[in-house]
Amino acid sequence: MQCQNCKNQTATIHLTEITNGNRTETHLCQTCAQKQGLAVQTQIPLNELLSTLLSAQPEATGEDSTPQEEKACPRCGMTLRRFSKETLLGCPQDYEVFEKNLLPLIQRTHNGNTEHCGKTPSSVGPEQDKQIQLAALRRQLDVALRNEQYETAARLRDQIRNLQ
Amino acid sequence: MNPADLSSQPSPWINQPGPDFEIVISSRVRLARNLEGYEFKPCLSAQRQNEILEILTPALLSLDQKLYYIDVDKIAAVERELLAERYLISPAHVRGKGPRGVAIAEEENFSAMINEEDHLRMQAYAPGLQLKACLDRVNQIDDQIEKKVRFAFHPRFGYLTACPTNLGTGIRVSVMLHLPGLKMTGQIDKFFAAARDCNLAVRGAFGEGSETVGDFYQLSNQVTLGVAEAEVVSNFTEKIVPKIVEYERAARQTLIEQSPYVVDDKIQRALGVLRNARLISSQEALVLLSQVRLGVHIGRIFEIQVSKINNLFFHLQPAHLQMRAGKSLDPDQRDSFRAQVIRKALSPN
């Protein structure tokens, strides 16, 4: 099916509206739907995200007068300005130094997730490993409950109980 | 292992049988790791890069399986290209600077890049849909290396990577798909839409930044944080890929039933051009080989084995051609030599 707007691309967004009992159908391609504000691009390119990283930051307040983008990691010297250009961080410590700034970016690139779940190095030790797995499961449980996915929630609750 | 010796043969694993191989050409699982106490790539000096090589190379070479080490910084540019054409290193590793290397399994189904975007990137390959086997292999190697080195790990964010897009598990799962049926029946947009809905990236056959040519698509996960490795893999092997395979099979069936002459014409013309062309670009060759590959799998071409086509995917690329010719070739000479290689491989006699 062709897009009703540009008559060029294939329509992938199909909208049915019922107003006062009248049913109207709209068929648009992704680009036209986005232009009309009907669809959002689900995957935002990293570069776009990064360009908003600096602009969206609250102004630095109080004793620390260094602008956010110039704040440098004491270990590697990386700044947010440089990161937003190169898309790579300078050292593992950057994740702590810039945690607040990186968090929204991490969340958006990972479908809302902000906590690791999965393999942990053996050096982490069984107790900490358990805590990591538990934290991840509890977070998944929250999401399941919020979305009213009760079967998933029950399964997760069992998993948590077994781990504890 | 000498890169020059590789050029006459295709990657040894590519012609082994694998599940759904007529649609899923290959599976790959990659893990990204960084050493604790070392800066990431943008802030690493050559000295520190050398230190990383000195830590990781012996760890990789003392695994329970034999790997061969290649100093990527020292080999010729064409040899680096050759390794990339065989998927043993990434295009970024080709372009990279400073001390860097790769450790490769003899069968070429495992490679570990050192000092790429992350300190260590390990990847396992298999023909067809075999992501679980790839994950097991790469995971087991990761376990062995972890006994010797300490990786940067954060209790909340997991394995720390130079780019936050790889954070957490550091896993990238991908399959190379051949979808001429969906393309010819005008349904390929559905595949793109479904991929987008599942948070998956679609790329061309040659990875990041490459265009899709000849109906070959690389599908990979983008979310690496908050999902366990096994879950990412089972999403692919149990949910996503089987659906795509089913749709592609149905599309091929529709083509055979509803427009057999159109399909036959397309396939036979493609074969005709490949068998007779005197000059051919790699792009045109890929498009035509894609159609011939379809012809073989839907039983319209009998005399050509699919392994011949798979081999050509490697042999018609620039570095492979030049290594085979034993000299550097300009693009026109390459088009001529490429046509010659293809004619020889697909000749009816």
Side-chain angles (χ1 to χ4, degrees), chain B residues 75-106:
Chain B
I75 57 176
V78 66
E79 293 177 324
R80 282 197 279 271
E81 293 286 348
L82 182 96
L83 295 177
E85 288 173 5
R86 301 174 83 81
Y87 301 110
L88 294 168
I89 66 174
S90 63
H93 213 39
V94 173
R95 293 188 306 267
K97 288 193 176 66
R100 63 196 192 282
V102 64
I104 297 168
E106 189 164 16

PDB file of all heavy atoms in Angstrom, chain B residues 75-106:
ATOM      1  N   ILE B  75      51.213  -5.656   9.364  1.00  0.00           N
ATOM      2  CA  ILE B  75      50.970  -6.272   8.054  1.00  0.00           C
ATOM      3  C   ILE B  75      50.612  -5.209   7.002  1.00  0.00           C
ATOM      4  O   ILE B  75      50.286  -4.076   7.342  1.00  0.00           O
ATOM      5  CB  ILE B  75      49.849  -7.354   8.119  1.00  0.00           C
ATOM      6  CG1 ILE B  75      48.544  -6.757   8.666  1.00  0.00           C
ATOM      7  CG2 ILE B  75      50.301  -8.549   8.938  1.00  0.00           C
ATOM      8  CD1 ILE B  75      47.376  -7.722   8.660  1.00  0.00           C
ATOM      9  N   ALA B  76      50.651  -5.620   5.732  1.00  0.00           N
ATOM     10  CA  ALA B  76      50.355  -4.696   4.626  1.00  0.00           C
ATOM     11  C   ALA B  76      48.881  -4.309   4.626  1.00  0.00           C
ATOM     12  O   ALA B  76      48.036  -5.054   5.128  1.00  0.00           O
ATOM     13  CB  ALA B  76      50.712  -5.365   3.303  1.00  0.00           C
ATOM     14  N   ALA B  77      48.599  -3.123   4.054  1.00  0.00           N
ATOM     15  CA  ALA B  77      47.225  -2.621   4.031  1.00  0.00           C
ATOM     16  C   ALA B  77      46.275  -3.616   3.362  1.00  0.00           C
ATOM     17  O   ALA B  77      45.166  -3.851   3.841  1.00  0.00           O
ATOM     18  CB  ALA B  77      47.175  -1.275   3.312  1.00  0.00           C
ATOM     19  N   VAL B  78      46.737  -4.235   2.272  1.00  0.00           N
ATOM     20  CA  VAL B  78      45.864  -5.160   1.545  1.00  0.00           C
ATOM     21  C   VAL B  78      45.562  -6.410   2.391  1.00  0.00           C
ATOM     22  O   VAL B  78      44.493  -6.998   2.308  1.00  0.00           O
ATOM     23  CB  VAL B  78      46.454  -5.517   0.158  1.00  0.00           C
ATOM     24  CG1 VAL B  78      47.737  -6.307   0.296  1.00  0.00           C
ATOM     25  CG2 VAL B  78      45.443  -6.270  -0.708  1.00  0.00           C
ATOM     26  N   GLU B  79      46.530  -6.774   3.256  1.00  0.00           N
ATOM     27  CA  GLU B  79      46.307  -7.932   4.136  1.00  0.00           C
ATOM     28  C   GLU B  79      45.273  -7.611   5.219  1.00  0.00           C
ATOM     29  O   GLU B  79      44.468  -8.451   5.596  1.00  0.00           O
ATOM     30  CB  GLU B  79      47.627  -8.381   4.764  1.00  0.00           C
ATOM     31  CG  GLU B  79      48.587  -8.939   3.729  1.00  0.00           C
ATOM     32  CD  GLU B  79      49.939  -9.333   4.315  1.00  0.00           C
ATOM     33  OE1 GLU B  79      50.426  -8.634   5.240  1.00  0.00           O
ATOM     34  OE2 GLU B  79      50.508 -10.317   3.850  1.00  0.00           O
ATOM     35  N   ARG B  80      45.321  -6.375   5.694  1.00  0.00           N
ATOM     36  CA  ARG B  80      44.291  -5.948   6.661  1.00  0.00           C
ATOM     37  C   ARG B  80      42.914  -6.016   6.021  1.00  0.00           C
ATOM     38  O   ARG B  80      41.967  -6.505   6.613  1.00  0.00           O
ATOM     39  CB  ARG B  80      44.561  -4.507   7.122  1.00  0.00           C
ATOM     40  CG  ARG B  80      45.653  -4.379   8.151  1.00  0.00           C
ATOM     41  CD  ARG B  80      45.575  -3.026   8.845  1.00  0.00           C
ATOM     42  NE  ARG B  80      46.179  -1.974   8.044  1.00  0.00           N
ATOM     43  CZ  ARG B  80      47.479  -1.645   8.098  1.00  0.00           C
ATOM     44  NH1 ARG B  80      48.292  -2.292   8.910  1.00  0.00           N
ATOM     45  NH2 ARG B  80      47.953  -0.688   7.351  1.00  0.00           N
ATOM     46  N   GLU B  81      42.823  -5.522   4.762  1.00  0.00           N
ATOM     47  CA  GLU B  81      41.549  -5.563   4.039  1.00  0.00           C
ATOM     48  C   GLU B  81      41.068  -7.004   3.873  1.00  0.00           C
ATOM     49  O   GLU B  81      39.886  -7.300   4.004  1.00  0.00           O
ATOM     50  CB  GLU B  81      41.681  -4.925   2.647  1.00  0.00           C
ATOM     51  CG  GLU B  81      41.950  -3.430   2.654  1.00  0.00           C
ATOM     52  CD  GLU B  81      40.719  -2.607   3.026  1.00  0.00           C
ATOM     53  OE1 GLU B  81      39.614  -3.168   3.056  1.00  0.00           O
ATOM     54  OE2 GLU B  81      40.895  -1.397   3.297  1.00  0.00           O
ATOM     55  N   LEU B  82      42.019  -7.878   3.579  1.00  0.00           N
ATOM     56  CA  LEU B  82      41.681  -9.287   3.390  1.00  0.00           C
ATOM     57  C   LEU B  82      41.052  -9.875   4.649  1.00  0.00           C
ATOM     58  O   LEU B  82      40.054 -10.588   4.600  1.00  0.00           O
ATOM     59  CB  LEU B  82      42.940 -10.073   3.014  1.00  0.00           C
ATOM     60  CG  LEU B  82      42.698 -11.556   2.740  1.00  0.00           C
ATOM     61  CD1 LEU B  82      42.541 -11.801   1.248  1.00  0.00           C
ATOM     62  CD2 LEU B  82      43.806 -12.417   3.275  1.00  0.00           C
ATOM     63  N   LEU B  83      41.651  -9.557   5.797  1.00  0.00           N
ATOM     64  CA  LEU B  83      41.115 -10.068   7.064  1.00  0.00           C
ATOM     65  C   LEU B  83      39.697  -9.543   7.302  1.00  0.00           C
ATOM     66  O   LEU B  83      38.833 -10.254   7.799  1.00  0.00           O
ATOM     67  CB  LEU B  83      42.025  -9.684   8.238  1.00  0.00           C
ATOM     68  CG  LEU B  83      43.424 -10.301   8.242  1.00  0.00           C
ATOM     69  CD1 LEU B  83      44.228  -9.771   9.426  1.00  0.00           C
ATOM     70  CD2 LEU B  83      43.359 -11.825   8.303  1.00  0.00           C
ATOM     71  N   ALA B  84      39.475  -8.277   6.911  1.00  0.00           N
ATOM     72  CA  ALA B  84      38.140  -7.704   7.096  1.00  0.00           C
ATOM     73  C   ALA B  84      37.129  -8.352   6.151  1.00  0.00           C
ATOM     74  O   ALA B  84      35.993  -8.609   6.548  1.00  0.00           O
ATOM     75  CB  ALA B  84      38.184  -6.196   6.883  1.00  0.00           C
ATOM     76  N   GLU B  85      37.552  -8.625   4.929  1.00  0.00           N
ATOM     77  CA  GLU B  85      36.644  -9.271   3.975  1.00  0.00           C
ATOM     78  C   GLU B  85      36.238 -10.658   4.461  1.00  0.00           C
ATOM     79  O   GLU B  85      35.200 -11.172   4.110  1.00  0.00           O
ATOM     80  CB  GLU B  85      37.302  -9.379   2.588  1.00  0.00           C
ATOM     81  CG  GLU B  85      37.400  -8.037   1.888  1.00  0.00           C
ATOM     82  CD  GLU B  85      38.190  -8.082   0.585  1.00  0.00           C
ATOM     83  OE1 GLU B  85      38.605  -9.187   0.156  1.00  0.00           O
ATOM     84  OE2 GLU B  85      38.397  -7.005  -0.007  1.00  0.00           O
ATOM     85  N   ARG B  86      37.086 -11.269   5.310  1.00  0.00           N
ATOM     86  CA  ARG B  86      36.773 -12.586   5.860  1.00  0.00           C
ATOM     87  C   ARG B  86      36.117 -12.482   7.230  1.00  0.00           C
ATOM     88  O   ARG B  86      35.993 -13.459   7.954  1.00  0.00           O
ATOM     89  CB  ARG B  86      38.054 -13.423   5.968  1.00  0.00           C
ATOM     90  CG  ARG B  86      38.728 -13.615   4.620  1.00  0.00           C
ATOM     91  CD  ARG B  86      40.052 -14.295   4.744  1.00  0.00           C
ATOM     92  NE  ARG B  86      39.953 -15.741   4.831  1.00  0.00           N
ATOM     93  CZ  ARG B  86      39.794 -16.546   3.780  1.00  0.00           C
ATOM     94  NH1 ARG B  86      39.697 -16.030   2.584  1.00  0.00           N
ATOM     95  NH2 ARG B  86      39.715 -17.841   3.933  1.00  0.00           N
ATOM     96  N   TYR B  87      35.748 -11.257   7.620  1.00  0.00           N
ATOM     97  CA  TYR B  87      35.079 -10.992   8.900  1.00  0.00           C
ATOM     98  C   TYR B  87      35.939 -11.298  10.120  1.00  0.00           C
ATOM     99  O   TYR B  87      35.436 -11.498  11.224  1.00  0.00           O
ATOM    100  CB  TYR B  87      33.755 -11.774   9.009  1.00  0.00           C
ATOM    101  CG  TYR B  87      32.791 -11.431   7.915  1.00  0.00           C
ATOM    102  CD1 TYR B  87      32.492 -12.336   6.910  1.00  0.00           C
ATOM    103  CD2 TYR B  87      32.171 -10.187   7.894  1.00  0.00           C
ATOM    104  CE1 TYR B  87      31.611 -12.014   5.890  1.00  0.00           C
ATOM    105  CE2 TYR B  87      31.281  -9.857   6.883  1.00  0.00           C
ATOM    106  CZ  TYR B  87      30.997 -10.775   5.887  1.00  0.00           C
ATOM    107  OH  TYR B  87      30.124 -10.445   4.892  1.00  0.00           O
ATOM    108  N   LEU B  88      37.256 -11.410   9.928  1.00  0.00           N
ATOM    109  CA  LEU B  88      38.118 -11.724  11.072  1.00  0.00           C
ATOM    110  C   LEU B  88      38.447 -10.468  11.862  1.00  0.00           C
ATOM    111  O   LEU B  88      38.704 -10.532  13.064  1.00  0.00           O
ATOM    112  CB  LEU B  88      39.403 -12.398  10.581  1.00  0.00           C
ATOM    113  CG  LEU B  88      39.146 -13.781   9.966  1.00  0.00           C
ATOM    114  CD1 LEU B  88      40.376 -14.280   9.235  1.00  0.00           C
ATOM    115  CD2 LEU B  88      38.718 -14.756  11.047  1.00  0.00           C
ATOM    116  N   ILE B  89      38.497  -9.332  11.193  1.00  0.00           N
ATOM    117  CA  ILE B  89      38.619  -8.052  11.890  1.00  0.00           C
ATOM    118  C   ILE B  89      37.560  -7.101  11.323  1.00  0.00           C
ATOM    119  O   ILE B  89      37.010  -7.348  10.248  1.00  0.00           O
ATOM    120  CB  ILE B  89      40.042  -7.427  11.778  1.00  0.00           C
ATOM    121  CG1 ILE B  89      40.363  -7.032  10.335  1.00  0.00           C
ATOM    122  CG2 ILE B  89      41.105  -8.372  12.325  1.00  0.00           C
ATOM    123  CD1 ILE B  89      41.690  -6.287  10.190  1.00  0.00           C
ATOM    124  N   SER B  90      37.295  -6.025  12.070  1.00  0.00           N
ATOM    125  CA  SER B  90      36.260  -5.089  11.646  1.00  0.00           C
ATOM    126  C   SER B  90      36.878  -4.012  10.760  1.00  0.00           C
ATOM    127  O   SER B  90      38.088  -3.782  10.809  1.00  0.00           O
ATOM    128  CB  SER B  90      35.654  -4.433  12.874  1.00  0.00           C
ATOM    129  OG  SER B  90      36.668  -3.690  13.528  1.00  0.00           O
ATOM    130  N   PRO B  91      36.046  -3.331   9.968  1.00  0.00           N
ATOM    131  CA  PRO B  91      36.575  -2.199   9.191  1.00  0.00           C
ATOM    132  C   PRO B  91      37.251  -1.161  10.096  1.00  0.00           C
ATOM    133  O   PRO B  91      38.257  -0.556   9.701  1.00  0.00           O
ATOM    134  CB  PRO B  91      35.321  -1.612   8.537  1.00  0.00           C
ATOM    135  CG  PRO B  91      34.371  -2.756   8.450  1.00  0.00           C
ATOM    136  CD  PRO B  91      34.630  -3.600   9.655  1.00  0.00           C
ATOM    137  N   ALA B  92      36.750  -0.991  11.317  1.00  0.00           N
ATOM    138  CA  ALA B  92      37.368  -0.036  12.243  1.00  0.00           C
ATOM    139  C   ALA B  92      38.782  -0.474  12.627  1.00  0.00           C
ATOM    140  O   ALA B  92      39.669   0.351  12.826  1.00  0.00           O
ATOM    141  CB  ALA B  92      36.508   0.110  13.498  1.00  0.00           C
ATOM    142  N   HIS B  93      38.997  -1.780  12.729  1.00  0.00           N
ATOM    143  CA  HIS B  93      40.321  -2.300  13.075  1.00  0.00           C
ATOM    144  C   HIS B  93      41.284  -2.119  11.897  1.00  0.00           C
ATOM    145  O   HIS B  93      42.482  -1.930  12.099  1.00  0.00           O
ATOM    146  CB  HIS B  93      40.208  -3.779  13.453  1.00  0.00           C
ATOM    147  CG  HIS B  93      41.179  -4.210  14.511  1.00  0.00           C
ATOM    148  ND1 HIS B  93      41.504  -3.428  15.597  1.00  0.00           N
ATOM    149  CD2 HIS B  93      41.897  -5.355  14.666  1.00  0.00           C
ATOM    150  CE1 HIS B  93      42.383  -4.077  16.350  1.00  0.00           C
ATOM    151  NE2 HIS B  93      42.645  -5.244  15.800  1.00  0.00           N
ATOM    152  N   VAL B  94      40.752  -2.175  10.669  1.00  0.00           N
ATOM    153  CA  VAL B  94      41.565  -1.924   9.478  1.00  0.00           C
ATOM    154  C   VAL B  94      42.070  -0.484   9.516  1.00  0.00           C
ATOM    155  O   VAL B  94      43.252  -0.211   9.330  1.00  0.00           O
ATOM    156  CB  VAL B  94      40.736  -2.154   8.177  1.00  0.00           C
ATOM    157  CG1 VAL B  94      41.530  -1.724   6.945  1.00  0.00           C
ATOM    158  CG2 VAL B  94      40.320  -3.605   8.056  1.00  0.00           C
ATOM    159  N   ARG B  95      41.135   0.439   9.778  1.00  0.00           N
ATOM    160  CA  ARG B  95      41.450   1.870   9.765  1.00  0.00           C
ATOM    161  C   ARG B  95      42.204   2.319  11.013  1.00  0.00           C
ATOM    162  O   ARG B  95      42.790   3.390  11.023  1.00  0.00           O
ATOM    163  CB  ARG B  95      40.162   2.692   9.693  1.00  0.00           C
ATOM    164  CG  ARG B  95      39.389   2.562   8.397  1.00  0.00           C
ATOM    165  CD  ARG B  95      38.259   3.585   8.405  1.00  0.00           C
ATOM    166  NE  ARG B  95      37.407   3.496   9.594  1.00  0.00           N
ATOM    167  CZ  ARG B  95      36.288   2.762   9.653  1.00  0.00           C
ATOM    168  NH1 ARG B  95      35.891   2.077   8.618  1.00  0.00           N
ATOM    169  NH2 ARG B  95      35.568   2.732  10.756  1.00  0.00           N
ATOM    170  N   GLY B  96      42.182   1.507  12.060  1.00  0.00           N
ATOM    171  CA  GLY B  96      42.735   1.896  13.355  1.00  0.00           C
ATOM    172  C   GLY B  96      44.198   2.296  13.298  1.00  0.00           C
ATOM    173  O   GLY B  96      44.863   2.129  12.283  1.00  0.00           O
ATOM    174  N   LYS B  97      44.667   2.860  14.410  1.00  0.00           N
ATOM    175  CA  LYS B  97      46.072   3.278  14.459  1.00  0.00           C
ATOM    176  C   LYS B  97      46.745   2.656  15.666  1.00  0.00           C
ATOM    177  O   LYS B  97      46.089   2.310  16.632  1.00  0.00           O
ATOM    178  CB  LYS B  97      46.138   4.803  14.571  1.00  0.00           C
ATOM    179  CG  LYS B  97      45.746   5.488  13.282  1.00  0.00           C
ATOM    180  CD  LYS B  97      46.128   6.970  13.314  1.00  0.00           C
ATOM    181  CE  LYS B  97      45.811   7.620  11.992  1.00  0.00           C
ATOM    182  NZ  LYS B  97      44.357   7.662  11.702  1.00  0.00           N
ATOM    183  N   GLY B  98      48.056   2.535  15.582  1.00  0.00           N
ATOM    184  CA  GLY B  98      48.830   2.110  16.731  1.00  0.00           C
ATOM    185  C   GLY B  98      48.854   0.609  16.929  1.00  0.00           C
ATOM    186  O   GLY B  98      48.276  -0.142  16.142  1.00  0.00           O
ATOM    187  N   PRO B  99      49.527   0.168  18.016  1.00  0.00           N
ATOM    188  CA  PRO B  99      49.693  -1.261  18.267  1.00  0.00           C
ATOM    189  C   PRO B  99      48.346  -1.954  18.442  1.00  0.00           C
ATOM    190  O   PRO B  99      47.556  -1.580  19.298  1.00  0.00           O
ATOM    191  CB  PRO B  99      50.479  -1.297  19.587  1.00  0.00           C
ATOM    192  CG  PRO B  99      51.088   0.065  19.718  1.00  0.00           C
ATOM    193  CD  PRO B  99      50.167   1.005  19.035  1.00  0.00           C
ATOM    194  N   ARG B 100      48.071  -2.917  17.597  1.00  0.00           N
ATOM    195  CA  ARG B 100      46.814  -3.660  17.676  1.00  0.00           C
ATOM    196  C   ARG B 100      46.991  -5.002  16.981  1.00  0.00           C
ATOM    197  O   ARG B 100      47.869  -5.156  16.129  1.00  0.00           O
ATOM    198  CB  ARG B 100      45.663  -2.869  17.046  1.00  0.00           C
ATOM    199  CG  ARG B 100      45.821  -2.586  15.563  1.00  0.00           C
ATOM    200  CD  ARG B 100      44.862  -1.479  15.141  1.00  0.00           C
ATOM    201  NE  ARG B 100      44.767  -1.346  13.700  1.00  0.00           N
ATOM    202  CZ  ARG B 100      45.673  -0.738  12.934  1.00  0.00           C
ATOM    203  NH1 ARG B 100      46.784  -0.244  13.486  1.00  0.00           N
ATOM    204  NH2 ARG B 100      45.510  -0.649  11.641  1.00  0.00           N
ATOM    205  N   GLY B 101      46.153  -5.949  17.360  1.00  0.00           N
ATOM    206  CA  GLY B 101      46.322  -7.273  16.771  1.00  0.00           C
ATOM    207  C   GLY B 101      45.045  -8.070  16.750  1.00  0.00           C
ATOM    208  O   GLY B 101      43.980  -7.590  17.157  1.00  0.00           O
ATOM    209  N   VAL B 102      45.171  -9.285  16.244  1.00  0.00           N
ATOM    210  CA  VAL B 102      44.029 -10.189  16.237  1.00  0.00           C
ATOM    211  C   VAL B 102      44.527 -11.622  16.412  1.00  0.00           C
ATOM    212  O   VAL B 102      45.573 -11.991  15.893  1.00  0.00           O
ATOM    213  CB  VAL B 102      43.194 -10.051  14.935  1.00  0.00           C
ATOM    214  CG1 VAL B 102      43.984 -10.456  13.694  1.00  0.00           C
ATOM    215  CG2 VAL B 102      41.905 -10.858  15.010  1.00  0.00           C
ATOM    216  N   ALA B 103      43.785 -12.399  17.214  1.00  0.00           N
ATOM    217  CA  ALA B 103      44.094 -13.817  17.370  1.00  0.00           C
ATOM    218  C   ALA B 103      42.969 -14.587  16.683  1.00  0.00           C
ATOM    219  O   ALA B 103      41.795 -14.298  16.905  1.00  0.00           O
ATOM    220  CB  ALA B 103      44.173 -14.189  18.846  1.00  0.00           C
ATOM    221  N   ILE B 104      43.356 -15.544  15.840  1.00  0.00           N
ATOM    222  CA  ILE B 104      42.391 -16.203  14.963  1.00  0.00           C
ATOM    223  C   ILE B 104      42.460 -17.712  15.118  1.00  0.00           C
ATOM    224  O   ILE B 104      43.553 -18.286  15.179  1.00  0.00           O
ATOM    225  CB  ILE B 104      42.706 -15.836  13.489  1.00  0.00           C
ATOM    226  CG1 ILE B 104      42.530 -14.327  13.288  1.00  0.00           C
ATOM    227  CG2 ILE B 104      41.843 -16.604  12.514  1.00  0.00           C
ATOM    228  CD1 ILE B 104      43.087 -13.828  11.975  1.00  0.00           C
ATOM    229  N   ALA B 105      41.303 -18.367  15.150  1.00  0.00           N
ATOM    230  CA  ALA B 105      41.275 -19.830  15.159  1.00  0.00           C
ATOM    231  C   ALA B 105      41.546 -20.320  13.742  1.00  0.00           C
ATOM    232  O   ALA B 105      41.176 -19.650  12.783  1.00  0.00           O
ATOM    233  CB  ALA B 105      39.911 -20.330  15.630  1.00  0.00           C
ATOM    234  N   GLU B 106      42.149 -21.498  13.641  1.00  0.00           N
ATOM    235  CA  GLU B 106      42.532 -22.000  12.319  1.00  0.00           C
ATOM    236  C   GLU B 106      41.328 -22.111  11.378  1.00  0.00           C
ATOM    237  O   GLU B 106      41.414 -21.796  10.195  1.00  0.00           O
ATOM    238  CB  GLU B 106      43.214 -23.367  12.452  1.00  0.00           C
ATOM    239  CG  GLU B 106      43.820 -23.807  11.137  1.00  0.00           C
ATOM    240  CD  GLU B 106      44.810 -24.940  11.312  1.00  0.00           C
ATOM    241  OE1 GLU B 106      44.797 -25.567  12.389  1.00  0.00           O
ATOM    242  OE2 GLU B 106      45.583 -25.182  10.371  1.00  0.00           O
TER     243      GLU B 106
END
